[in-house]
Amino acid sequence: MTLLICIARASHASDLGLKVSEISRFLGLTPPTVTQLINSLEAKQMVERQADPSDRRVVRIKLTEQGKIITRRARDHMDATLNRMVEYLGEEESNQLAELLLKVYAFMEDNPPPNLDRLQMNGDEKHD
């Protein structure tokens, strides 16, 4: 679902769709992982690949009508859930939660995780 939402957000800015490398950067995933996800969504007819009109070597990923419908439903569900949560918490606790989430976001921005692709994975590394 995250991939569909990522593509949907980008399509508001441009009708061209996104390159796999762009999606990879947005989601923090490797291009091969993104390609596998796209293959799965393409098989379900939620996304389609199209050649870039200005550079035929570039493939862009766009939502199909089915993908747009699913994304819209997911967004509506998320909005309704957030509204119910705000009602449940009340205004004061909702504001506290928003402030805490902003602090968590700032912390995560200042303390990114290590690049796991660069860690040794052959069993020869030392474990601390």
Side-chain angles (χ1 to χ4, degrees):
M1 186 54 60
T2 304
L3 177 56
L4 289 175
I5 292 170
C6 176
I7 296 168
R9 283 187 179 155
S11 19
H12 291 300
S14 167
D15 284 337
L16 291 176
L18 291 173
K19 296 187 278 187
V20 171
S21 60
E22 293 170 330
I23 296 169
S24 177
R25 264 193 319 277
F26 290 147
L27 298 179
L29 300 171
T30 63
T33 299
V34 171
T35 298
Q36 288 177 347
L37 293 169
I38 290 168
N39 290 343
S40 174
L41 291 173
E42 191 175 37
K44 296 174 185 175
Q45 299 179 339
M46 292 190 199
V47 298
E48 61 186 1
R49 289 176 164 93
Q50 292 183 341
D52 186 295
S54 62
D55 185 348
R56 293 276 183 208
R57 297 170 296 172
V58 174
V59 175
R60 297 203 173 257
I61 311 301
K62 294 181 68 167
L63 293 180
T64 62
E65 284 306 313
Q66 180 68 16
K68 290 176 186 177
I69 290 168
I70 296 295
T71 304
R72 202 171 308 119
R73 285 181 187 162
R75 196 174 294 139
D76 290 346
H77 176 72
M78 288 186 328
D79 288 346
T81 301
L82 283 173
N83 287 334
R84 286 195 322 271
M85 184 179 67
V86 169
E87 288 174 15
Y88 176 76
L89 292 174
E91 185 176 348
E92 185 179 335
E93 287 182 331
S94 295
N95 288 335
Q96 288 174 344
L97 176 61
E99 288 174 20
L100 288 172
L101 289 173
L102 287 171
K103 279 183 157 180
V104 168
Y105 180 79
F107 175 83
M108 297 303 289
E109 285 290 306
D110 292 341
N111 298 280
N115 184 345
L116 298 179
D117 291 337
R118 294 201 172 143
L119 293 178
Q120 292 180 343
M121 301 298 243
N122 61 7
D124 294 337
E125 66 277 0
K126 291 183 181 179
H127 297 282
D128 294 329

